Amino acid sequence: MRSDQTICGKLLPELDAYLSRTLPAPALQQITDHLAACPGCSAEVELRRGVRTRLRAAVDSVAPPLFLETRIRASVGATRQKRSWFAYLAPVAAVAVLFLGVGIAYQVGLLRYTAESREAYAQSVTSRVPVLLAVGLGDHIHCSLFRKYANNAPKVEQLTQDLGSQYAGLIPVMNENIPPGYSLMMAHQCRYHGRGFVHLSLKNGGKLLSLVIAKKSEGESLSSSGVPQALSQAGVPFYTGNTQRFEIATFETKDHLVYIVSSMPQDQNTRLMLAVAPGIRNVLAHLEG
């Protein structure tokens, strides 16, 4: 199954059936294969699992209206006439079910789109990697995964304006090394968990890729973090890690932690980092003095 917008659009209506395991075995396997390559749909599945769990709890906590049982018993016990109680009970039950259904649907909508559910997913993923890898991964999930993108990539002038002049040099660095099929869809400065980030997000159908640059907190250093060094280039050490379908490559400068986070295979993710690292270091060197 191809991980593009068309396939993802067709897949979304089938996710509930996938979670309920009511689809034929070939269809279940097809969706499983797609989820392994599509972080967007994978995140959707995790969110829906959470919604289903909370929905069960919500339903269990909703008591039926007090009058319903009374009216049923009264109707059945008073007349004992064939079908006479049903004509009276049906409208009452229908109204009760309607209100209960509306209430549950409202709760589902809130659970599906709340910041809390998105944060819970981010925390469940980032908790599986070392702290300094989680910094870049967390911003990628928070800022890229749950975003609705425009159909067409913004113009370079708009991206430059959004990003700010001091980091504008990052845009040509990424555009010169952009992987086939990807488009630069977002460039901005943001904050997550109180930390400032520079974030460039690229998209290829349902696949997402981020360049994340985080300002270091006092005392932070990859070299002393316990993350194993994967390789070095021109004397600069690089570190890698992964969890689920997320691949992370990172290096540090004096004041910044630099990340490439994507769903690409590890070797491709690392090669992209090695390609853009010299240009990124030049941009940051002018800022760090």
Side-chain angles (χ1 to χ4, degrees), residues 39 125 129 133 136-137 140 208-210 239-250 259-270 273:
V125 175
V129 298
L133 294 185
L137 176 59
H140 169 74
L208 295 170
L209 184 158
S210 287
Y239 307 81
T240 61
N242 58 70
T243 181
Q244 294 187 359
R245 283 152 295 280
F246 299 103
E247 291 292 340
I248 312 160
T250 180
Y259 303 87
I260 292 290
V261 184
S262 77
S263 57
M264 297 189 301
Q266 185 182 59
D267 61 335
Q268 293 182 26
N269 194 74
T270 303
M273 171 59 94

Side-chain angles (χ1 to χ4, degrees), residues 1 8 14 36 41 56 59 88 119 143 149-150 178 212 222 231-232 241 248 255-257 262 266 268 276 278 284 286:
M1 182 178 289
C8 291
E14 299 180 352
C41 288
R56 291 191 194 97
V59 171
Y88 175 74
E119 179 63 17
C143 215
Y149 292 91
I178 195 168
V212 176
L222 285 165
L231 68 163
S232 65
I248 312 160
D255 298 328
H256 296 86
L257 301 166
S262 77
Q266 185 182 59
Q268 293 182 26
V276 299
L284 297 180
H286 289 296

Side-chain angles (χ1 to χ4, degrees), residues 16-268:
D16 287 323
Y18 172 77
L19 289 171
S20 301
R21 315 303 288 181
T22 56
L23 294 173
L28 289 173
Q29 186 59 50
Q30 189 179 33
I31 294 176
T32 299
D33 293 342
H34 175 79
L35 295 176
C38 181
C41 288
S42 177
E44 179 70 19
V45 167
E46 294 298 326
L47 284 171
R48 292 194 186 196
R49 282 198 179 103
V51 167
R52 291 161 76 92
T53 299
R54 296 188 187 188
L55 179 56
R56 291 191 194 97
V59 171
D60 291 342
S61 68
V62 175
L66 295 177
F67 67 81
L68 188 57
E69 182 180 357
T70 301
R71 290 193 180 185
I72 292 173
R73 290 183 180 277
S75 179
V76 172
T79 62
R80 295 290 180 183
Q81 295 178 6
K82 186 178 181 180
R83 299 191 182 186
S84 63
W85 64 272
F86 182 78
Y88 175 74
L89 175 62
V92 176
V95 170
V97 171
L98 175 62
F99 277 99
L100 181 60
V102 170
I104 291 174
Y106 178 71
Q107 292 183 55
V108 170
L110 288 178
L111 291 171
R112 169 64 182 81
Y113 294 108
T114 58
E116 288 79 8
S117 63
R118 297 193 296 269
E119 179 63 17
Y121 172 72
Q123 290 296 324
S124 71
V125 175
T126 56
S127 64
R128 302 173 189 178
V129 298
V131 172
L132 288 191
L133 294 185
V135 171
L137 176 59
D139 192 61
H140 169 74
I141 293 173
H142 169 77
C143 215
S144 288
L145 212 59
F146 301 112
R147 180 175 298 275
K148 182 176 177 60
Y149 292 91
N151 292 329
N152 299 315
K155 295 184 180 299
V156 171
E157 293 78 10
Q158 183 62 55
L159 293 168
T160 300
Q161 180 179 335
D162 294 342
L163 185 58
S165 59
Q166 64 183 150
Y167 293 106
L170 297 172
I171 294 174
V173 171
M174 290 303 297
N175 278 335
E176 289 167 8
N177 297 280
I178 195 168
Y182 281 84
S183 298
L184 182 54
M185 301 298 296
M186 178 186 71
H188 70 173
Q189 297 184 49
C190 58
R191 297 190 70 82
Y192 181 54
H193 287 183
R195 187 192 293 262
F197 290 90
V198 174
H199 190 166
L200 281 68
S201 184
L202 297 86
K203 192 170 185 289
N204 176 10
K207 300 176 183 178
L208 295 170
L209 184 158
S210 287
L211 166 65
V212 176
I213 301 177
K215 295 180 179 178
K216 282 184 178 179
S217 297
E218 185 176 356
E220 283 185 335
S221 175
L222 285 165
S223 61
S224 59
S225 66
V227 180
Q229 178 180 327
L231 68 163
S232 65
Q233 181 188 71
V236 176
F238 290 82
Y239 307 81
T240 61
N242 58 70
T243 181
Q244 294 187 359
R245 283 152 295 280
F246 299 103
E247 291 292 340
I248 312 160
T250 180
F251 74 93
E252 64 186 326
T253 65
K254 185 180 72 172
D255 298 328
H256 296 86
L257 301 166
V258 181
Y259 303 87
I260 292 290
V261 184
S262 77
S263 57
M264 297 189 301
Q266 185 182 59
D267 61 335
Q268 293 182 26

